[in-house]
């Protein structure tokens, strides 16, 4: 039996699945190209048997065909982030134990030759495939892939150490997707503009896989750019849009900078859509209100996480409350718990989640997996309260988890990298509230050594080692870090230093 996603695609074969600047591709094209990629991945084996296949491809048809090709060959897809520097890519490749890398030629350099000693592929004994290589014309017999098998590993930051690989099965993905399809009434007539990164759950599940499961059209931009997004919205043939609050802020700025006449066209484009969604970070009420004035849409805010898919959502029909994330989505159980157990309504507690969309495990990390669950419930580390029958997110339980532009980053992981700088003796990384980014990554540094540290050289040093959104945007040089009586750095006081 084929995977349900594939069987469904066969039913839509002549419909457009993906549109990019390279043109439009039907579901038949997607099925054909992904079967060619699966054949090439399989070489002469019958089934990849959950081998990890890392892929570094910009958002577009090739990305999707590769992801499907990996699944159809029985592999686990490990998407790499196009903006990650070499150390971060290497971490994901090594940690996932990938045996194959599929790369767009643009990334051949970073993957093959950045290391002075040897190429990354050679170092890790990887098979390296470029998307520009000719695909086989004879399609191999593809394996039967049971939905209980592992499908995807997404890397996400926890409070300690390096990011962990969140493993979801085909069944988990199916549950995450069908829950959203039911709640937001996706149909094959939908057309969504895809502007989100494709190494993160929001872009992969909520937008791409929901669209393809529904037989809808997914219009993919290879990267976000306010002007292009507005142009596409003005074209007026979209029905859905989903983004993080940072993107709505950027779109608001572009609208405000446009002429009156253009503003009118922009707003009319929005009015033609049936739904606009925000998530992955708290949506400030001012942003929600500004967007409503511009677009006529009261953004539907939802709450979710890489490990669980989406858990809470405001209703598609009915009243949406500003500052609230609604109720549990179909097939998802949510509860609030404190040290004493379940909390009564109106009392804050940790959000815990159960359901078929909850991930299988952290990749090769049974200890972390076990620690993340309490009596079968996944502990999110976020606190919320129920008021007026709706959940309100109060924030993360750890100050060491920062959400910036919708990305979850670990302050401790950034500190670990910063401490390896020869001029830095000590450091504390914190998130500072910001209307555009949700939180900005800020670092207080205690210096050592005689060499002066210029901010410019520090920034380029950090950029080589950290993804751009993890590079501190504001840096304070301090004599000492604030500490409590126990000698522990007090992060709330560090946050105050930046205000
Ligand atoms: P990620 O796994 O990168 O999607 O990050 C998940 C985290 O994003 C959650 O644990 C929350 O801390 C945060 N998050 C997601 N959606 C919302 C929301 N609507 N409001 C506030 N925080 C959110």
């Amino acid at each position: 039996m084929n995977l349900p996603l594939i069987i469904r695609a066969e039913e839509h074969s002549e419909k457009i699945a993906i549109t990019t600047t390279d043109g439009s591709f039907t579901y038949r094209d997607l099925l054909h190209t992904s079967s060619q990629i699966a054949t090439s991945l399989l070489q002469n084996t019958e089934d990849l048997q959950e081998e990890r296949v890392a892929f570094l491809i910009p958002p577009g048809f090739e990305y999707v065909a590769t992801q499907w090709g990996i699944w159809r060959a029985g592999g686990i897809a490990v998407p790499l982030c196009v903006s990650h520097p070499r150390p971060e890519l290497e971490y994901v490749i090594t940690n996932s134990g990938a045996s194959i890398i599929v790369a767009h030629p643009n990334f051949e350099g970073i993957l093959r030759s950045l290391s002075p000693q040897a190429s990354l592929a050679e170092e890790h004994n990887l098979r390296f495939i470029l998307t520009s290589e000719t695909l086989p014309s004879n399609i191999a017999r593809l394996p039967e892939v049971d939905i209980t098998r592992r499908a995807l590993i997404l890397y996400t930051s926890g409070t300690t150490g390096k990011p962990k690989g969140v493993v979801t099965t085909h069944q988990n993905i199916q549950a995450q997707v069908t829950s959203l399809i039911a709640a937001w009434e996706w149909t094959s007539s939908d057309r969504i503009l895809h502007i989100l990164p494709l190494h993160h759950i929001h872009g992969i599940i909520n937008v791409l896989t929901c669209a393809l499961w529904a037989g809808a059209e997914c219009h993919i931009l290879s990267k976000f750019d306010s002007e292009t997004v507005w142009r596409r919205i003005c074209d007026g043939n979209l029905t859905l849009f989903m983004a993080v609050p940072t993107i709505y802020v950027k779109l608001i700025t572009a609208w405000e900078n446009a002429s009156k006449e253009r503003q009118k066209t922009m707003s009319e484009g929005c009015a033609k859509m049936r739904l606009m969604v925000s998530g992955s970070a708290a949506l400030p009420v001012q942003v929600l209100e500004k967007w409503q004035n511009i677009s006529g849409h009261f953004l539907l805010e939802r709450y979710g996480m890489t490990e669980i898919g989406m858990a809470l959502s405001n209703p598609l029909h009915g009243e949406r409350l500003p500052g609230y994330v609604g109720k549990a989505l179909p097939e998802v159980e949510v509860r609030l718990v404190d040290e004493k157990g379940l909390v009564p309504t109106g009392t804050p507690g940790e959000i815990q989640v159960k359901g078929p969309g909850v991930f299988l495990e952290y990749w090769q990390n049974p200890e972390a997996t076990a620690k993340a669950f309490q009596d079968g419930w996944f502990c999110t580390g976020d606190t919320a309260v129920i008021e007026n029958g709706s959940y309100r997110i109060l924030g993360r339980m750890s100050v060491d988890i920062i959400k910036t532009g919708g990305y979850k980053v670990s302050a401790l992981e950034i500190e670990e990298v910063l401490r390896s700088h020869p001029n830095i003796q000590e450091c504390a990384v914190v998130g500072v509230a910001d209307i555009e980014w949700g939180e900005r990554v800020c670092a207080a540094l205690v210096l050592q050594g005689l060499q002066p540290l210029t901010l410019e050289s520090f920034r380029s040093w950090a950029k080589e080692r950290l993804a751009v959104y993890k590079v501190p945007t504001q840096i304070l040089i301090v004599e000492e870090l604030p500490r409590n009586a126990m000698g522990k750095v007090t992060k709330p006081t560090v946050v105050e230093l930046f205000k």
Side-chain angles (χ1 to χ4, degrees), residues 200 280-282 301-306 325 382 396 403 408:
H200 186 268
S280 292
E301 185 175 2
R302 58 69 183 164
Y303 161 90
M305 196 174 181
T306 308
V325 289
D382 291 310
R396 283 173 292 282
K403 259 265 154 159
K408 185 178 173 193

Side-chain angles (χ1 to χ4, degrees), residues 301-303 311-315 319-321 323-329 385-393:
E301 185 175 2
R302 58 69 183 164
Y303 161 90
L312 299 164
S313 169
N314 272 291
E319 197 188 6
R320 298 177 196 160
L321 298 175
Y324 288 77
V325 289
K327 295 187 168 67
L329 278 156
V385 62
I386 302 178
E387 293 162 350
N388 313 309
S390 188
Y391 283 83
R392 181 161 66 86
I393 308 287

Side-chain angles (χ1 to χ4, degrees), residues 432-452:
V432 174
D434 181 85
I435 190 95
E436 182 171 356
W437 293 97
E439 285 176 298
R440 264 179 311 116
V441 176
C442 296
L445 310 177
V446 180
L447 298 185
Q448 66 182 356
L450 297 173
Q451 294 233 332

